[in-house]
Amino acid sequence: MKILLVEDEKPLSESIETYLKQEGYLCESVLDYANADDRIVLHEYDCVIVDISLPDGTGLDIIRDLKAMESPAGIIIISARNAVEDKIEGLEIGADDYLSKPFSLPELNARIKALMRRRNFGGQNEIICDEIKIQPDSHQAFIQNQMIDLTHKEFELLLFLLSNKNRILTKETIAEHLWEDNIDLTDSFDFVYTHIKNLRKKIRVAGGKDYIRTVYGIGYKFVTP
Amino acid sequence: MRLLTKTTMYYLLSTLGIFLLGGVIFYLVLMSIIDNEVDEKLVFHKGQILQKLDTGNWDGADSFFSIEKNVHIRSTTGNLGAPDRIRDTLIYDPLEKEYMPYRQLVTLQQIHGKPYQITIREPLVESESLTEGIAYSLIALFLILIIVLLFVHNRITNRLWVPFYNALDRLKNYEINQPENLHFDETNVREFEELNRNLSQMTSRIREDYRNLKEFTENVSHEIQTPLAIIKSKLELLMQSEEAQPDQMNLIQSSYQAANRLSKLNQALILLAKIENQEFPEITIIHVNDLVEKHLEYFRELIDLRELDLQINMTADPVVSLNPSLGDILISNLISNAIKHNVERGSIGINLNEKALTIINTGEATDRDPSQFFHRFTKDGNHTDSTGLGLSIVWKICKLFSIEIQYSIQDNLHIISLVF
């Protein structure tokens, strides 16, 4: 899977590139509008991640160019401005998702995966990992083909863990994924803990293995054999 | 007390002093003029009498007689060379039954070879009635003066001081973040003119400083986002590396948490600045009921997880004009606040009627003034990881849309009301 990253801050760009490459994506990065424009004409990407403010233009123009070329690429905006108008305009002209900086890399990864699932399988998709099977559209999860009853948040959590399997996910990242801006809630870490505990129990009761490891003081890791 | 009333008071007080002094002087001068007049009259009278006595044909007169009223002549043995004496005296008046003041001239004269003492008297005006007369006229004058001064005072306040009170009014209503400069009416009074000019200059200077400072803060806030994003991403990568030891992981985690906190803080500050700059122009009619329901749905899970008892009592569905994003932030902040600052197995009450939305939550009793929590960075000691900006944002939003907000604490109940 090919991803183009358009981000003018080199250190940030490098981080994202590293993380995505570790995830097994083919990731190319450019630092400005001119180079981005060249690339999208020459190559076809599955996903384009664009920063709105670029030194020589705006990321919104890249989205317009992509749409003008009827590119099938999924588009995710990353912006430091967190301006509602940018978000609305970006989504209106055809971007698929919007993330405001600073965001966490697992979050970006989860968004890319969700976007790719929506694009590639036209909604008919399943995620299979070892003995676990997930149907994101119907919000159903199965262990060895036996459905487990998960709450909405538990399902979201499982999906997020699976999207970033074998990665350490901090409590903050998980809480932010589940509750977005309301991470400010002091007790959100307890809530994360409660959800993880319940999820583990439900998987175990259904006869599954214990995939979730606690990384003491930091967070959790979904380990696949 | 008004400045003009005060000056008028001082004027009146000094005028009163001057009037008193003037009265005394007036009295003395009048008295001496009258005395002089009477003295002259006495001397003239003496001449007349002497002439009468010289030409008069009287011989072997009594040793004491009177040739006309107020003139008494009696024989004497006194020294004829002595000068005339003029002095005041009191003579009993049997008619009025009191002593009346007189001026009398005593002269020694030789008439037909015999020495006589002639006493001539002239009645004087009673000093009492003179004093009374002067006092009455002065009091009358003083009263007239007061009336005139009050009248003038009123006129001055109503006309002359208008520019001053206008300027005062403008200052009272002045807000440092209002878009236009402070303007004052033209006036031809030099002091006011100067005052207005200086006020104009001062406010525009303050405004400029404020704008610069705000711009600086906003720039810092915006520019800080990117480095923060870099720090966070690098720490995340570091966390994933296989070689990290547990103690190193702890260091990474601490840094990561600090970066996160900084980022939250920063976002809240940017939001505050945006609200202040009125960057949320869109206003729609919002049903408070729907808004609260929507956010309760969102928070219900957190409420359950904390085992809080939620009591909802919504009897009406008032509408308010609000920016939709800010409306969301407002209600979301209030509910999350009620959850965050709650106690184990506490409760949250949400009451909505036609006039007000009241959110009551159990919490820790505090003797701090609750309105302090609307200030930036005022927070409960226990919650070091909260930004301390949530209620400031709430307050700013309420202020922007003229919603009255009240915060009170009764024992362990924290009560926040929004009055529409």
Side-chain angles (χ1 to χ4, degrees):
Chain A
M1 187 143 72
K2 247 172 109 179
I3 296 176
L4 177 66
L5 172 66
V6 190
E7 161 63 59
D8 62 322
E9 286 292 332
K10 202 154 191 297
L12 184 59
S13 172
E14 284 168 357
S15 298
I16 298 172
E17 204 183 331
T18 309
Y19 196 90
L20 294 182
K21 278 181 174 161
Q22 284 172 0
E23 281 294 308
Y25 299 112
L26 208 65
C27 183
E28 291 175 12
S29 71
V30 289
L31 299 172
D32 52 28
Y33 173 75
N35 277 314
D37 213 32
D38 287 351
R39 290 289 174 95
I40 56 173
V41 173
L42 293 174
H43 306 276
E44 198 158 285
Y45 296 93
D46 299 294
C47 182
V48 181
I49 301 165
V50 282
D51 186 4
I52 295 271
S53 33
L54 295 169
D56 58 345
T58 154
L60 294 173
D61 284 338
I62 298 174
I63 301 171
R64 288 192 190 96
D65 294 345
L66 281 167
K67 289 295 149 187
M69 298 185 320
E70 294 179 357
S71 159
I75 302 164
I76 297 175
I77 297 173
I78 48 173
S79 169
R81 288 201 283 183
N82 195 18
V84 186
E85 307 84 68
D86 278 356
K87 184 173 177 176
I88 292 170
E89 192 182 354
L91 295 178
E92 260 174 9
I93 61 174
D96 298 282
D97 210 342
Y98 181 99
L99 258 180
S100 59
K101 289 183 199 168
F103 50 81
S104 72
L105 296 174
E107 183 65 35
L108 176 65
N109 183 31
R111 302 274 185 115
I112 295 171
K113 286 205 165 136
L115 178 58
M116 290 303 105
R117 276 199 306 274
R118 293 205 299 271
R119 301 235 136 207
N120 294 348
F121 304 102
Q124 295 297 313
N125 62 71
E126 284 181 345
I127 303 164
I128 296 166
C129 171
D130 201 28
E131 56 193 9
I132 301 174
K133 185 173 81 183
I134 287 184
Q135 292 176 341
D137 297 310
S138 56
H139 270 87
Q140 285 175 330
F142 302 87
I143 303 275
Q144 296 162 353
N145 284 325
Q146 183 197 340
M147 199 178 99
I148 47 175
D149 182 27
L150 297 178
T151 65
H152 180 73
K153 280 281 185 299
E154 284 161 1
F155 182 83
E156 292 285 320
L157 177 61
L158 180 61
L159 192 56
F160 188 59
L161 287 167
L162 271 177
S163 300
N164 290 287
K165 55 180 186 260
N166 296 318
R167 296 275 196 176
I168 293 173
L169 296 175
T170 62
K171 291 171 286 184
E172 286 91 343
T173 307
I174 295 172
E176 203 163 73
H177 179 76
L178 294 181
W179 291 289
E180 289 166 43
D181 284 343
N182 297 295
I183 180 74
D184 193 32
L185 287 164
T186 325
D187 305 285
S188 56
F189 298 157
D190 296 345
F191 302 152
V192 170
Y193 170 74
T194 311
H195 280 313
I196 292 271
K197 195 179 73 184
N198 292 343
L199 183 61
R200 259 172 144 163
K201 200 169 135 196
K202 284 181 182 175
I203 294 175
R204 214 174 45 238
V205 166
K209 297 180 200 129
D210 191 8
Y211 296 94
I212 304 169
R213 297 274 147 77
T214 305
V215 184
Y216 184 73
I218 294 175
Y220 304 93
K221 192 171 180 177
F222 192 92
V223 186
T224 51
Chain B
M1 195 186 281
R2 278 182 160 187
L3 176 68
L4 211 60
T5 318
K6 214 161 188 172
T7 42
T8 313
M9 281 259 299
Y10 283 127
Y11 274 134
L12 283 177
L13 274 176
S14 48
T15 319
L16 188 67
I18 290 168
F19 266 58
L20 285 175
L21 190 69
V24 171
I25 293 171
F26 199 45
Y27 173 80
L28 291 176
V29 168
L30 217 57
M31 274 312 237
S32 83
I33 288 174
I34 290 169
D35 278 359
N36 273 337
E37 206 57 40
V38 172
D39 289 358
E40 271 175 32
K41 211 169 161 188
L42 282 172
V43 172
F44 178 71
H45 203 172
K46 181 185 114 182
Q48 274 185 329
I49 286 167
L50 284 183
Q51 209 178 0
K52 223 181 205 170
L53 287 175
D54 271 344
T55 54
N57 189 15
W58 53 280
D59 206 16
D62 296 332
S63 62
F64 180 86
F65 62 98
S66 185
I67 57 164
E68 54 186 89
K69 191 175 179 267
N70 288 337
V71 177
H72 306 279
I73 303 169
R74 63 183 173 99
S75 57
T76 183
T77 51
N79 186 4
L80 281 174
D84 295 352
R85 279 182 294 127
I86 298 180
R87 62 183 183 90
D88 291 337
T89 185
L90 289 171
I91 303 294
Y92 187 77
D93 185 338
L95 273 176
E96 300 239 351
K97 288 186 179 151
E98 58 177 339
Y99 285 95
M100 302 297 282
Y102 280 83
R103 189 84 171 155
Q104 73 175 17
L105 180 144
V106 179
T107 181
L108 295 174
Q109 297 289 336
Q110 189 161 14
I111 306 166
H112 301 300
K114 278 187 194 159
Y116 284 93
Q117 176 189 285
I118 306 170
T119 308
I120 309 164
R121 291 193 183 114
E122 277 290 331
L124 283 175
V125 186
E126 276 179 281
S127 69
E128 232 175 73
S129 37
L130 187 70
T131 320
E132 261 174 32
I134 291 173
Y136 284 142
S137 34
L138 283 185
I139 287 169
L141 260 178
F142 195 66
L143 285 177
I144 293 170
L145 192 73
I146 288 178
I147 290 165
V148 170
L149 268 178
L150 284 178
F151 179 72
V152 172
H153 171 263
N154 248 345
R155 296 285 283 192
I156 290 177
T157 325
N158 289 344
R159 310 229 340 238
L160 215 58
W161 285 79
V162 163
F164 178 77
Y165 289 115
N166 278 348
L168 214 58
D169 248 15
R170 294 225 175 133
L171 274 186
K172 231 183 278 173
N173 298 324
Y174 180 65
E175 298 233 0
I176 197 158
N177 49 2
Q178 71 189 33
E180 69 281 349
N181 260 328
L182 201 53
H183 284 295
F184 297 101
D185 300 334
E186 290 273 319
T187 163
N188 51 9
V189 181
R190 214 184 55 205
E191 283 87 348
F192 293 158
E193 165 70 46
E194 208 164 310
L195 178 75
N196 287 352
R197 205 180 50 241
N198 282 318
L199 279 178
S200 278
Q201 279 172 1
M202 195 182 74
T203 48
S204 64
R205 210 166 46 230
I206 292 174
R207 233 166 60 92
E208 185 66 15
D209 286 353
Y210 173 77
R211 213 177 48 80
N212 283 338
L213 201 65
K214 208 171 71 168
E215 211 168 51
F216 172 76
T217 324
E218 281 166 27
N219 287 345
V220 167
S221 299
H222 277 123
E223 292 308 315
I224 240 170
Q225 291 291 65
T226 307
L228 265 176
I230 295 170
I231 294 171
K232 268 186 80 173
S233 68
K234 297 292 174 198
L235 288 172
E236 275 170 347
L237 286 181
L238 204 53
M239 238 178 253
Q240 306 299 341
S241 65
E242 303 289 327
E243 305 93 65
Q245 301 298 308
D247 50 343
Q248 289 171 329
M249 277 300 242
N250 282 337
L251 293 179
I252 297 169
Q253 171 65 5
S254 303
S255 318
Y256 182 75
Q257 271 174 359
N260 252 332
R261 217 175 118 196
L262 188 56
S263 146
K264 294 284 161 218
L265 203 66
N266 202 36
Q267 277 165 4
L269 283 173
I270 291 174
L271 178 63
L272 270 174
K274 274 184 177 172
I275 298 171
E276 264 167 33
N277 293 350
Q278 314 199 334
E279 285 177 34
F280 296 91
E282 187 204 344
I283 288 178
T284 52
I285 300 287
I286 288 175
H287 289 262
V288 182
N289 209 326
D290 295 348
L291 192 64
V292 174
E293 287 282 4
K294 180 173 117 189
H295 285 277
L296 274 181
E297 199 47 55
Y298 195 81
F299 281 109
R300 198 173 294 272
E301 187 198 3
L302 298 184
I303 294 171
D304 290 345
L305 279 171
R306 281 210 64 173
E307 295 175 48
L308 300 174
D309 177 28
L310 178 65
Q311 284 165 348
I312 306 169
N313 180 23
M314 298 205 267
T315 54
D317 184 17
V319 289
V320 284
S321 299
L322 262 181
N323 174 279
S325 316
L326 292 184
D328 281 340
I329 292 168
L330 176 68
I331 300 298
S332 153
N333 272 7
L334 284 176
I335 298 179
S336 92
N337 213 57
I339 300 173
K340 184 163 40 177
H341 298 289
N342 222 311
V343 291
E344 207 61 45
R345 292 197 168 72
S347 67
I348 295 178
I350 294 178
N351 299 325
L352 179 66
N353 58 35
E354 204 54 59
K355 283 198 196 73
L357 170 69
T358 309
I359 297 179
I360 306 166
N361 68 279
T362 47
E364 276 146 38
T366 172
D367 46 9
R368 290 173 82 166
D369 176 11
S371 61
Q372 272 190 354
F373 289 112
F374 293 129
H375 297 168
R376 293 180 182 195
F377 302 117
T378 308
K379 48 190 170 186
D380 252 8
N382 303 343
H383 295 99
T384 45
D385 50 348
S386 82
T387 57
L389 289 173
L391 279 183
S392 308
I393 292 170
V394 165
W395 191 77
K396 272 269 145 61
I397 296 174
C398 285
K399 201 174 158 228
L400 186 62
F401 294 101
S402 311
I403 297 170
E404 193 194 328
I405 182 159
Q406 296 158 352
Y407 190 161
S408 59
I409 298 173
Q410 284 167 15
D411 295 328
N412 62 344
L413 287 182
H414 292 241
I415 304 158
I416 295 186
S417 297
L418 301 184
V419 185
F420 312 122

